[in-house]
Amino acid sequence: MVLDAASAPSGLRKAVAFIESEAARPIRLADIVAAAGVGARALQYDFVRHLHTTPTRYLRSVRLERAHRELQAADPQCETVASIAARWGFSSPGRFATQYRSVYGRSPRVTRSDALWSDRTTAEPAENE
C-alpha cells in the first residue's frame, strides 16, 4: 500500500510514519491514534479512504512484510520461523503461518528454507561439495 503524501491528511501521514518506524514494538490502536493526533474514528476513516484498510491491518501488513524479508535472509540453521514471527509481534506461529501463506502463497518455513538453497545454488561448484 502506497500513501499519496500530497493528498493524505497529516494525521494519516503521522500514523503511517509511526507504524513504519515502530512496527517491531508492541503497538495498540490507541498508540497509533496518539501518534496521529486525531480521533480514532477520523483515523479509521482516513485509512479506509486513502489506503483501503484499517490502521491495525496496515500494521499487520507492515509486520508481515518485514518478517518476509527476514525469512528470505535468515539462516535456517540459526533462525526459526517462530522466533522471526515473535520478533514482529506474532505470538501464535500457526496464525502467523496462515496469514503469511494467504499473502505470499507459501509457508514461511519454505521461504526460510529457500534462503539456504539459493545460497547453495549461487555458490561456486567446489563450495557445494
Side-chain angles (χ1 to χ4, degrees):
M1 291 169 243
V2 178
L3 179 65
D4 178 13
S7 66
S10 75
L12 178 61
R13 290 193 311 267
K14 290 176 186 176
V16 166
F18 175 75
I19 290 170
E20 295 284 342
S21 68
E22 303 295 329
R25 286 193 19 216
I27 298 174
R28 298 170 304 144
L29 179 59
D31 301 322
I32 300 169
V33 168
V38 298
R41 290 175 76 75
L43 186 62
Q44 292 270 2
Y45 174 79
D46 287 342
F47 263 90
V48 170
R49 181 169 175 230
H50 293 274
L51 294 171
H52 310 291
T53 192
T54 65
T56 53
R57 284 190 182 133
Y58 184 81
L59 173 61
R60 183 174 36 236
S61 71
V62 168
R63 288 175 169 170
L64 269 173
E65 190 271 329
R66 303 236 176 118
H68 174 69
R69 277 195 255 152
E70 282 196 26
L71 287 165
Q72 289 176 312
D75 179 351
Q77 307 298 328
C78 301
E79 286 272 20
T80 66
V81 170
S83 68
I84 292 171
R87 188 165 38 252
W88 289 106
F90 297 96
S91 57
S92 167
R95 191 171 298 146
F96 168 73
T98 300
Q99 292 172 0
Y100 185 91
R101 189 176 294 108
S102 74
V103 172
Y104 295 101
R106 63 194 323 199
S107 74
R109 186 186 53 182
V110 169
T111 299
R112 186 196 54 157
S113 296
D114 281 354
L116 176 64
W117 289 110
S118 67
D119 286 348
R120 288 184 178 170
T121 58
T122 59
E124 294 294 322
E127 293 177 18
N128 287 335
E129 299 181 61

